[in-house]
Amino acid sequence: MSSSERIEVSIEPGTWDPMDEAIVSLDPIGFHSEEEPYKDRIDSYQGKTGLTEAVQTGIGQLNGVPIALGVMDFQFMGGSLGSIVGEKITRLIEYATNRFLSLIIVCASGGGGGMHVRRKFELDENG
């Protein structure tokens, strides 16, 4: 199931308000894998999925209650947790915290990258 499909079945119609859509991955260090340049891989996945990144974040309503929702998409580089995905999730958590909103994050990652976000949240929460 794509992130867009998950949002559609999770949020009441007409209430989805996406956040941080303009934030996109760059390649400031010119990273090259053995297959192809990183920027080319990003461009390819953007074309295939119609997404700019491996996570969609935003605000919507669930049973009439406003919630913050982050949904990762495995179809975009296996849900890889790059710097932009981490930034978008962090901003969503901060937004929800500052407004006392319930927060739901749907993880669809192919690796342990989600542990970084969970660990950061634990550190922030526990000092």
Side-chain angles (χ1 to χ4, degrees), residues 11 15-19 57-61 66-69 92 95-96 101:
I11 298 297
T15 66
W16 179 244
D17 185 17
M19 296 174 60
T57 58
I59 307 302
Q61 290 193 14
I67 64 162
L69 178 65
L92 181 69
Y95 184 92
L101 295 175

Side-chain angles (χ1 to χ4, degrees), residues 7-124:
I7 291 166
E8 187 177 324
V9 299
S10 302
I11 298 297
E12 294 173 21
T15 66
W16 179 244
D17 185 17
M19 296 174 60
D20 299 316
E21 289 183 301
I23 301 175
V24 295
S25 289
L26 301 175
D27 188 14
I29 62 170
F31 179 75
H32 285 74
S33 69
E34 292 179 11
E35 298 131 21
E36 63 184 321
Y38 183 72
K39 182 67 176 126
D40 291 349
R41 291 180 66 205
I42 294 291
D43 291 344
S44 173
Y45 281 103
Q46 287 173 339
K48 289 177 188 174
T49 64
L51 301 173
T52 57
E53 266 302 329
V55 68
Q56 292 191 65
T57 58
I59 307 302
Q61 290 193 14
L62 180 62
N63 294 328
V65 177
I67 64 162
L69 178 65
V71 183
M72 297 179 75
D73 199 312
F74 189 81
Q75 296 172 21
F76 194 106
M77 291 180 67
S80 179
L81 183 72
S83 62
I84 298 304
V85 172
E87 179 68 21
K88 289 180 72 166
I89 291 172
T90 299
R91 287 181 181 203
L92 181 69
I93 292 168
E94 290 171 345
Y95 184 92
T97 301
N98 291 335
R99 287 160 182 79
F100 302 99
L101 295 175
S102 295
L103 170 68
I104 299 171
I105 298 177
V106 179
C107 183
S109 178
M115 296 300 292
H116 300 297
V117 173
R118 189 173 92 195
R119 181 68 183 138
K120 180 185 181 334
F121 181 71
E122 289 170 354
L123 290 172
D124 288 348

